[in-house]
């Protein structure tokens, strides 16, 4: 589904309906291929960020679960940015845009703008801080549910993404047989590793690009768009600079910080390389959904070509080899 009808005027009117204050007309677009994200200034001096969700990408219930969990985290004084509520107390809103006979509804949310610099873990203390932040997050979300979000297991998620890629017909014929053979073999191999593993709501995309350092204000965890139900280790492995065997010290510090707030099942460290493979397939399926977006095409002109899929097959084969070696 396209954003063609989402004009700056429609976006500004939508924001004003939530904040009940006129915007000053200055609109800043932020890079995003799934959603449309804009920064606004208001006449009262406030600064806001509006996120317009891609039509058909998420259900109202799924977005509402994200908002509810993030708002609960903010209420427990976790450093997150919760969506603003309107006069009725709602954080998720809809605006309809029309142009002649065409009409499209857009779900959206408005957030207070928060700044900060990218966070780089240079010292032991930095790794402890990140681990503690994730531990606090999981401690708050552990007792909650997110039944409308993705369940991060091979059978519930990865198998579905493989089917989506096949149905989309995006894999070039010369690579298709090998790609789908490797992907399906991987699901069969790693699925048993997730049996009996505790699952809970997690951030889902917890890499250092989604952590801002506000100096005296501490760390800020942003972008819960990929909130999912999964193993706790999903929110830790993306923080590591490399594979587990090359990042042992960093992982130990992460877990030390994490366990200040919540116990961690160290047996789930073995899920890291399977989760890496699952993310590779997830990202391909995600990219396939954006492939017709003009911004995506201009940023990734090689996506979907023969050379692209040849490299994806090679990367998938390498990752499967790593997992098989660990399990041997």
């Amino acid at each position: 589904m396209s954003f063609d009808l989402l004009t700056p005027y429609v976006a500004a009117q939508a924001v004003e309906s939530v904040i009940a204050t006129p915007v000053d007309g200055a609109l800043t677009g932020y890079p995003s291929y799934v959603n449309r994200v804009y920064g606004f200034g208001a006449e009262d001096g406030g600064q806001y960020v509006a996120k317009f969700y891609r039509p058909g990408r998420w259900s109202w219930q799924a977005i509402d679960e994200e908002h509810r969990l993030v708002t609960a985290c903010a209420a427990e004084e976790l450093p997150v940015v919760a969506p603003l509520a309107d006069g009725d107390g709602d954080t998720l809103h809809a605006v309809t845009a029309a142009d002649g006979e065409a009409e499209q509804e857009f779900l959206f949310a408005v957030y207070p703008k928060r700044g900060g610099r990218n966070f780089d873990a240079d010292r032991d203390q930095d790794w402890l801080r990140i681990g503690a932040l994730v531990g606090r997050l999981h401690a708050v979300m552990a007792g909650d549910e997110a039944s409308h979000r993705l369940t991060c297991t091979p059978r519930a998620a990865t198998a579905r993404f493989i089917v989506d890629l096949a149905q989309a017909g995006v894999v070039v014929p010369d690579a298709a047989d090998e790609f789908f053979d490797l992907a399906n073999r991987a699901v069969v191999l790693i699925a048993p590793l997730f049996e009996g593993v505790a699952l809970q709501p997690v951030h889902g995309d917890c890499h250092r690009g989604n952590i801002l350092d506000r100096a005296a204000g501490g760390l800020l965890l942003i972008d819960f768009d990929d909130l999912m139900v999964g193993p706790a280790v999903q929110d830790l492995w993306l923080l590591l600079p490399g594979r587990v065997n090359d990042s042992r010290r960093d992982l130990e510090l992460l877990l030390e910080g994490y366990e200040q707030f919540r116990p961690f099942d160290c047996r789930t460290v073995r899920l890291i390389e399977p989760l890496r493979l699952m993310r590779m397939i997830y990202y391909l399926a995600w990219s396939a959904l954006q492939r017709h977006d003009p911004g995506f095409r201009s940023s990734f002109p090689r996506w979907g070509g023969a050379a692209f899929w040849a490299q994806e097959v090679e990367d998938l084969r390498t990752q499967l080899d790593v997992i098989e070696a660990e399990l041997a």
Side-chain angles (χ1 to χ4, degrees):
M1 303 286 286
S2 124
F3 285 99
D4 291 346
L5 297 181
L6 184 63
T7 65
Y9 175 78
V10 170
Q13 292 292 105
V15 172
E16 288 178 351
S17 72
V18 176
I19 65 175
T21 303
V23 299
D24 62 13
L27 177 151
T28 302
Y30 294 105
S32 175
Y33 304 115
V34 180
N35 308 307
R36 288 295 180 268
V37 183
Y38 302 107
F40 287 90
E43 291 185 359
D44 63 0
Q47 296 292 317
Y48 303 92
V49 174
K51 177 191 291 185
F52 293 84
Y53 297 92
R54 179 173 291 274
R57 181 73 170 89
W58 290 273
S59 68
W60 183 288
Q61 294 90 340
I63 301 172
D64 188 61
E65 284 181 335
E66 173 201 338
H67 288 191
R68 176 175 53 77
L69 283 162
V70 174
T71 299
C73 290
E76 294 294 327
E77 300 185 348
L78 266 75
V80 299
V81 185
L84 297 174
D86 62 14
D88 296 324
D90 297 321
T91 60
L92 181 58
H93 322 281
V95 61
T96 300
D99 180 14
E101 296 182 358
E103 184 175 281
Q104 180 65 61
E105 181 182 71
F106 298 99
L107 302 181
F108 73 97
V110 180
Y111 297 81
K113 185 177 180 179
R114 295 286 185 266
R117 65 177 180 85
N118 290 338
F119 181 68
D120 292 319
D122 299 321
R123 306 165 301 162
D124 287 0
Q125 186 61 33
D126 296 331
W127 290 104
L128 291 170
R129 290 173 68 196
I130 303 176
L133 175 59
V134 178
R136 289 182 62 198
L137 175 74
H138 288 181
V140 171
M141 296 201 300
D144 218 319
E145 296 182 353
S147 60
H148 293 90
R149 305 298 294 196
L150 178 74
T151 298
C152 184
T153 64
R155 290 195 177 101
T158 311
R160 190 184 84 196
F161 294 137
I162 294 170
V163 171
D164 290 344
L165 287 167
Q167 292 178 342
V170 292
V171 186
V172 296
D174 286 348
D177 286 348
E178 187 172 10
F179 175 83
F180 289 112
D181 177 65
L182 289 168
N184 286 309
R185 278 175 50 204
V187 170
V188 171
L189 178 66
I190 66 178
L193 303 177
F194 288 75
E195 294 175 1
V197 172
L199 306 178
Q200 68 158 85
V202 297
H203 182 283
D205 194 28
C206 190
H207 55 77
R208 278 176 279 176
N210 281 332
I211 299 175
L212 299 180
D213 191 350
R214 298 170 296 159
L219 301 181
L220 180 69
L221 185 57
I222 63 172
D223 194 0
F224 282 75
D225 218 42
D226 285 316
L227 186 144
M228 61 181 63
V229 175
V233 72
Q234 169 63 20
D235 279 351
L236 294 172
W237 77 267
L238 283 169
L239 296 165
L240 298 174
R243 297 192 185 277
V244 174
N245 289 337
D246 301 321
S247 310
R248 287 289 178 185
R249 174 63 176 167
D250 302 326
L251 179 59
E252 289 172 1
L253 291 166
L254 274 177
L255 296 181
E256 182 180 340
Y258 185 95
E259 292 197 308
Q260 294 176 27
F261 294 92
R262 184 167 174 77
F264 179 81
D265 183 356
C266 290
R267 294 171 299 178
T268 61
V269 168
R270 68 176 183 167
L271 300 181
I272 290 178
E273 294 307 329
L275 286 166
R276 192 188 308 278
L277 184 145
M278 292 167 61
R279 186 173 175 86
M280 292 166 63
I281 295 174
Y282 167 79
Y283 187 76
L284 288 170
W286 174 87
S287 298
L289 290 173
Q290 322 311 319
R291 68 189 186 279
H292 299 305
D293 187 285
F296 183 86
R297 291 200 304 271
S298 63
S299 297
F300 303 99
R302 293 180 61 254
W303 197 95
F308 171 85
W309 283 109
Q311 185 61 57
E312 290 301 317
V313 168
E314 180 62 27
D315 291 345
L316 190 58
R317 185 189 304 112
T318 298
Q319 184 61 21
L320 187 54
D321 288 344
V322 169
I323 295 170
E324 288 175 335
E326 285 192 350
L327 296 177

